[in-house]
Amino acid sequence: MPEIKIDRSLSYIEGTQRVYDEATTLENTKNQIKKIGVTRIADITNLDRLGVPIFSSIRPSAAPGAISIYSGKGSTEQRARISAIMESFERCLAERPGLNANIAGDISAPALVESYLNARENYVTLDPGSLLLSQPYNPSSLLEWVGAYDLLNKEEVFVSANAVYHPYDSPGQCQKLFLSNTNGLASGNVLEEAILHGLLEVIERDAISTAQFTRDLGKEIVLTEEDGYLYEISRKFKDSGIDLKIWLVPTDTGIPTIIAATDDVKLKDPALLVMGAGSHLKPEIAVARAITEAAQSRVVQIQGAREDTDREGFIRSVGYDRMKRLNWFWFEEGEKISLSEVQDFSKRSPAENIGVILEKLKGLTEKVLVVNLSREEVAVPVVRVIIPGFELFTIDRDRKGKRLAAGKKKEIPRNKNDKPWKRR
């Protein structure tokens, strides 16, 4: 595919990490959402007593195998609305051409169908094995490939279409490698914003996968009045009788990654033992994303409308006390730190932020791939970011890699009255 050139002339609005203000973003997307089949944007904040703004976007024309209801969160109503709208673009443009009911145009990236053994003879190709497969693949079997651009090595690389499109079913005699997902799928006001958001999501999923697998969530961040609106949001949880733990997750990238874990001690509903996560070079934004995503997770469980939230019945059958024990490490006492102790790596432009991330990824991965999923008829850029070897245990427990295996698991604490011979 053509080289992805990062525009270095773009800069953030003073005091923000945004290229455009929120009103401009809403104005720019107002007519675009009709093109992708969104029929309604709904404020669903009041489904929960918490009061953190949550919006829902409905797209009935979603491809078979995809969800049609998307959620967005934010510290204000405007931000939550934008969040839901932007997820709609991501989901729509991730659908492969021919499967998409709303967009007829194709992506600009080249495509081919070939076995890995043959493709690597003529093209730079990513070994599908680096995508953390749950079972071996046959390198002689046909695969569908899509052109990506490697930001680290400045070259075109063909990657399995299975890692690009969602939902994905392999055509003809092509081999399917795994269940597709949305990891690294991102949109933005400009292409650079989309790339940055995609990078941060893959880094976030990698970090929280390791944290969940090892049961080590790191250090606990304690917010104070000096933290302004973040403290005010955290107070909403406390005032509603909901315990909130905010964890700075250990990560070898050094990029601030946060998990916010919640426990509704008033309702004691196991389905509301939920978490949210966020990564960002600016710690304040990472914390805001994690807390508001935890609030979103609550509302999504309460609403029960999304097609990908079938955990509710099973979780409730397990029961509150058992679920709390299984997730004990979310709520244990950790070493306390303040938000001001977390280093801020953020810069004044998307290009600079992307540069910081690429520097931090050197030595951790050999490639950082971007597939441009944007379409000419839609004026909102969407990309898929793929970082080979980075973990996604948190969304697909069958796919585990070397980074996960390198972590040391914390032992599950045992009750002193527990009988060893009765343990399973």
Side-chain angles (χ1 to χ4, degrees):
M1 69 180 294
E3 177 185 357
I4 292 180
K5 295 182 179 179
I6 305 297
D7 188 347
R8 299 193 173 278
S9 69
L10 294 170
S11 59
Y12 291 129
I13 299 169
E14 186 66 32
T16 75
Q17 290 278 294
R18 295 189 300 273
V19 173
Y20 300 144
D21 61 41
E22 293 162 10
T24 301
T25 299
L26 284 173
E27 181 63 29
N28 289 347
T29 57
K30 183 173 63 176
N31 295 323
Q32 299 297 313
I33 57 174
K34 299 174 184 176
K35 296 180 182 179
I36 63 170
V38 171
T39 58
R40 186 178 174 222
I41 307 291
D43 183 350
I44 57 174
T45 306
N46 290 333
L47 291 178
D48 191 9
R49 70 183 190 276
L50 192 52
V52 174
I54 308 295
F55 275 67
S56 189
S57 173
I58 296 91
R59 180 174 165 256
S61 56
I67 64 172
S68 60
I69 300 174
Y70 319 124
S71 304
K73 75 283 184 187
S75 56
T76 66
E77 287 188 9
Q78 198 168 46
R79 290 174 184 172
R81 182 183 291 272
I82 290 171
S83 176
I85 288 171
M86 298 308 267
E87 185 176 344
S88 304
F89 286 106
E90 294 165 13
R91 295 284 187 153
C92 175
L93 298 191
E95 295 174 3
R96 64 181 306 140
L99 196 65
N100 195 312
N102 306 107
I103 306 301
D106 207 339
I107 66 174
S108 60
L112 64 103
V113 173
E114 188 55 272
S115 71
Y116 173 61
L117 290 180
N118 289 338
R120 70 181 184 180
E121 294 296 321
N122 301 303
Y123 308 96
V124 179
T125 54
L126 180 72
D127 182 351
S130 67
L131 295 173
L132 313 186
L133 306 183
S134 59
Q135 56 189 8
Y137 78 102
N138 183 352
S140 299
S141 295
L142 290 178
L143 289 173
E144 186 181 21
W145 303 87
V146 176
Y149 188 72
D150 183 355
L151 295 178
L152 276 185
N153 301 294
K154 311 296 183 187
E155 64 181 357
E156 180 183 85
V157 177
F158 276 91
V159 62
S160 167
N162 203 158
V164 176
Y165 296 119
H166 177 75
Y168 181 80
D169 280 315
S170 52
Q173 298 180 3
C174 290
Q175 187 176 5
K176 185 174 180 178
L177 300 172
F178 46 77
L179 292 174
S180 62
N181 58 61
T182 61
N183 191 33
L185 193 59
S187 58
N189 287 292
V190 294
L191 184 65
E192 289 75 10
E193 268 191 2
I195 291 171
L196 178 63
H197 295 161
L199 287 167
L200 289 168
E201 181 169 271
V202 177
I203 288 165
E204 170 203 307
R205 298 275 172 77
D206 172 76
I208 65 175
S209 291
T210 303
Q212 286 187 299
F213 185 76
T214 61
R215 309 185 189 105
D216 181 6
L217 299 193
K219 298 178 180 179
E220 184 183 350
I221 295 177
V222 178
L223 299 176
T224 68
E225 292 182 5
E226 294 180 358
D227 297 312
Y229 79 97
L230 292 177
Y231 177 73
E232 294 304 318
I233 297 175
S234 69
R235 287 290 306 184
K236 288 178 182 285
F237 286 83
K238 184 175 181 180
D239 294 345
S240 300
I242 302 167
D243 284 349
L244 172 68
K245 288 273 192 178
I246 304 170
W247 297 97
L248 175 65
V249 176
T251 170
D252 55 4
T253 66
I255 294 170
T257 300
I258 306 296
I259 285 178
T262 68
D263 174 14
D264 194 325
V265 294
K266 187 174 287 187
L267 294 181
K268 294 188 182 299
D269 183 344
L272 297 181
L273 286 166
V274 295
M275 56 167 277
S279 283
H280 203 278
L281 295 174
K282 192 171 188 64
E284 172 190 322
I285 297 176
V287 171
R289 287 182 176 176
I291 296 176
T292 55
E293 187 174 274
Q296 175 183 288
S297 297
R298 283 179 54 86
V299 174
V300 167
Q301 289 299 314
I302 293 167
Q303 183 188 35
R306 278 179 57 146
E307 297 95 326
D308 61 345
T309 56
D310 55 358
R311 72 186 280 273
E312 181 183 355
F314 170 75
I315 294 298
R316 289 201 167 111
S317 70
V318 171
Y320 173 80
D321 290 334
R322 189 176 177 199
M323 282 304 301
K324 187 80 180 284
R325 285 197 302 272
L326 289 171
N327 295 292
W328 58 271
F329 54 96
W330 289 13
F331 306 105
E332 66 177 348
E333 289 300 309
E335 178 187 344
K336 308 291 194 296
I337 60 169
S338 65
L339 183 56
S340 61
E341 293 177 72
V342 186
Q343 188 172 353
D344 186 344
F345 297 101
S346 64
K347 303 297 180 182
R348 293 180 293 180
S349 73
E352 288 179 291
N353 277 350
I354 291 170
V356 169
I357 292 173
L358 293 179
E359 280 299 315
K360 290 184 174 294
L361 291 175
K362 287 179 179 177
L364 300 177
T365 184
E366 295 180 356
K367 301 180 189 299
V368 176
L369 305 178
V370 177
V371 179
N372 191 348
L373 296 174
S374 307
R375 311 292 206 279
E376 285 188 3
E377 58 261 61
V378 179
V380 175
V382 173
V383 302
R384 169 80 82 161
V385 172
I386 302 163
I387 306 178
F390 269 46
E391 303 288 349
L392 51 148
F393 175 77
T394 188
I395 57 174
D396 191 337
R397 302 217 163 190
D398 291 329
R399 296 168 66 188
K400 297 189 284 287
K402 295 178 181 178
R403 292 169 61 76
L404 208 64
K408 184 178 180 181
K409 276 191 175 184
K410 278 187 178 181
E411 290 297 320
I412 299 174
R414 299 290 185 182
N415 189 308
K416 64 181 180 180
N417 296 319
D418 195 11
K419 301 288 192 294
W421 55 88
K422 289 188 176 182
R423 295 178 193 156
R424 292 187 177 180

